[in-house]
Every structure is written in structure tokens, then in C-alpha cells.
Amino acid sequence: MGFSFFDLFWIFLFLSSLQPVWQRRQMEIRRIRALQEFERGRNSRVILLIHRQESLSLLGIPISRYISIEDSEQVLRAIRLTPPNVPIDLILHTPGGLVLATEQIARALIRHPAKVTVFIPHYAMSGGTMLALASDEIVMDANAVLGPVDPQLGNFPAASILKVVEDKPIGDIDDQTLIMADLSRKAIAQVQRFVRTLLKDDIPKQKIAPENIEKIVDALTTGRVTHDYPVTVEEATEMGLPITVGLPRSIYKLMELYPQPQGGRPSVQYIPMPYGDRRPSLPSPQGRPLPDPAE
């Protein structure tokens, strides 16, 4: 029995609709294989926190991706599923995000007994820098950057709001600005206290010299530079942060599997299960186990 042109058209349309699903599934398989391979090589739990926002837009309007409460929920779950003796490798590519979400993740990282390593292939600004400070080792690409963690109130830096109060007579300042200045003082004090907590961790495996702690706090929290100021590897090292330069090649390969998204996808990814002696095999689309990349 032959097919009419109309039948062939609908068959073609059906197969075309399946292609994006198949491509996404194949990309997901490649990502999980790469994660498994990286974890085997370092005997660690790998967590990716990636926010691709450089050109993501809807109807021409840019959409910002940042560290959110949903991200903190997923990262905290990944940490809970990690045995105390298993190191954590956190790969960061983020402009920052909510203070609450960032502090939740940072506290969970410093409480994890095993070593925590943060890898930064491109940038970890604001809240991303705070997460780096919570690690035991910061590994960066030679051209990667960190950023200040000074608080922002709405669209304005807290430090700039305080500068208005310092420069103008109080009688010339409106009540709203005075209220914002009060909030700014509190916000800066809170951030500075938390950064000190990270740098004075009970188990200071980062080996930050005590005399450098206040210098780091002052450089990152007081707003003496703009919030998007890129803190280079050289500058971070000069202020006393223990930076290791040079990423494993596998980090770059992992990043290539997370290109700028055309649609929505989770920004946090990990293999969602506790790890024992054996890792479960990943089913293929046909239901058969995929071969172990290490074999």
C-alpha cells in the first residue's frame, strides 16, 4: 500500500517534532557521562551552578539568571546526598544573586567536613564570589574574575547611599534617603560579618593569613569600586585569597555542554542520589544500560 503526499507530509512533521526531544536527550546523556567521568577522576561530588545570561532574552527583553531560592534548594539537596567523607567540587559560572540563597549555600559548604573546591572558568561575581570564599580551594582560569560582594539596595549600592548622607547636610536629605542610609549601614555590617565568618572558618583550610582577613573584607564589601568591578586572579592573590591558577581540561569540556540556552533548563545539575561503592548505570533511550565511560 502506497503513501500519499498528505501521508508523507504528516510522517515528516511527526519525525521533525521528535528531533528536538531526541537531541535534548542525547545532550543530557553526554552531560551526565561527563559528570560521572569527572567525579570518578577526582572521587568527588560535582555540582554545577551555571547561569547563562549574556544573551538570553524574551521578545528582545534581556532575562537575568541569578542564584535563586530554587538554586539553593537544589544545591543543599546535593550536599545532603553527599557523604561527609566525599569532597565536593562546585563549578561556578554566575553573576551572583539573592543574599539569602547565597548564604544558605555558603553555610552548607563550610559545614561539609570533606574538602570543597570551587572551579571558576569565566566569572563568579557577587554571590558567586561569596561561595568561592566558602570553599577550601579556589581554582580559576588565568583570565577568570571574581567580584565585590558589597550589598545593593534596589538599583543603588549601599555605599553610594551612605555617601549622600556624608556629603549633604541632614536638613537637605529627604526621609526616604535617610531610611535607605540606615538600611545600607545594616546591610554592609551584615555582609561584612558573614564574610568574616567565611574567612575565619573553624577549619580554615584555605590558610588565609589572619592579617589579610580585614584587608579582604574591606576590598570586597565597602563599595570602594563598582559592583561589577572584575577582581582578577592577580588582584585576588594580592589581597590574600589563596587562588590556584589552571583548570583541568575536563572543566572546559563540561562548560561546552552547557551552551547559551535557547529555552528554559535547570541551572543546577547533579546526579540526584546518594553515592555508595557503585554508581548506577544510566539507562539509554532504548532502556538498555549505557556503557560505563571509565570502562
Side-chain angles (χ1 to χ4, degrees):
M1 182 178 65
F3 291 97
S4 67
F5 176 80
F6 187 76
D7 293 331
L8 293 174
F9 172 78
W10 282 108
I11 292 172
F12 172 78
L13 194 63
F14 175 73
L15 294 177
S16 298
S17 66
L18 291 179
Q19 184 179 7
V21 177
W22 173 257
Q23 289 176 338
R24 284 195 297 270
R25 176 59 176 165
Q26 292 301 305
M27 178 61 77
E28 187 67 17
I29 291 172
R30 291 178 61 196
R31 288 171 177 170
I32 293 181
R33 279 179 165 173
L35 286 173
Q36 288 178 324
E37 184 176 357
F38 189 81
E39 288 180 336
R40 287 192 184 94
R42 291 181 54 85
N43 193 27
S44 66
R45 157 86 70 183
V46 176
I47 304 173
L48 286 90
L49 185 57
I50 298 175
H51 296 110
R52 291 284 195 185
Q53 72 159 27
E54 294 89 346
S55 62
L56 183 64
S57 64
L58 177 64
L59 301 178
I61 302 173
I63 299 175
S64 295
R65 306 280 310 268
Y66 53 84
I67 302 172
S68 65
I69 294 297
E70 290 75 17
D71 287 341
S72 68
E73 290 175 353
Q74 290 299 311
V75 174
L76 293 181
R77 181 169 182 258
I79 295 172
R80 285 196 302 271
L81 292 175
T82 306
N85 62 334
V86 174
I88 289 176
D89 291 332
L90 177 61
I91 300 173
L92 281 179
H93 178 81
T94 179
L98 297 178
V99 173
L100 172 60
T102 300
E103 289 197 8
Q104 284 183 310
I105 297 172
R107 291 186 188 278
L109 291 175
I110 64 176
R111 287 171 178 156
H112 185 69
K115 182 179 180 181
V116 175
T117 304
V118 165
F119 294 93
I120 304 173
H122 186 48
Y123 66 78
M125 307 294 284
S126 189
T129 296
M130 200 171 286
L131 296 183
L133 297 179
S135 70
D136 303 315
E137 183 181 10
I138 305 172
V139 184
M140 299 176 63
D141 180 88
N143 299 306
V145 295
L146 301 171
V149 299
D150 58 303
Q152 310 292 296
L153 273 65
N155 295 323
F156 302 105
S160 297
I161 296 173
L162 290 178
K163 190 72 167 56
V164 172
V165 177
E166 292 172 3
D167 291 351
K168 295 182 69 174
I170 192 168
D172 296 339
I173 304 173
D174 62 273
D175 290 347
Q176 183 176 355
T177 302
L178 291 174
I179 292 172
M180 293 290 286
D182 180 60
L183 291 174
S184 297
R185 291 189 191 94
K186 294 174 182 176
I188 291 174
Q190 289 168 194
V191 168
Q192 288 181 335
R193 183 167 59 250
F194 184 65
V195 170
R196 287 191 187 97
T197 299
L198 298 179
L199 299 179
K200 295 179 179 180
D201 187 10
D202 291 337
I203 308 175
K205 291 170 281 188
Q206 287 200 72
K207 298 180 180 178
I208 295 176
E211 63 272 16
N212 287 333
I213 290 178
E214 288 307 314
K215 183 168 70 171
I216 295 170
V217 171
D218 182 71
L220 296 179
T221 68
T222 56
R224 67 187 191 189
V225 293
T226 60
H227 192 62
D228 61 352
Y229 177 81
V231 179
T232 63
V233 168
E234 293 79 10
E235 189 171 354
T237 302
E238 183 180 349
M239 70 174 65
L241 288 175
I243 306 294
T244 300
V245 180
L247 295 177
R249 190 66 201 165
S250 51
I251 294 285
Y252 300 110
K253 292 180 179 178
L254 265 173
M255 290 297 294
E256 290 172 1
L257 298 176
Y258 292 85
Q260 180 68 40
Q262 301 302 313
R265 63 159 178 79
S267 55
V268 178
Q269 185 161 5
Y270 57 93
I271 301 171
M273 60 191 313
Y275 287 163
D277 294 334
R278 290 182 58 81
R279 307 285 172 85
S281 58
L282 177 69
S284 71
Q286 292 78 24
R288 297 188 299 274
L290 290 169
D292 190 329
E295 293 179 353

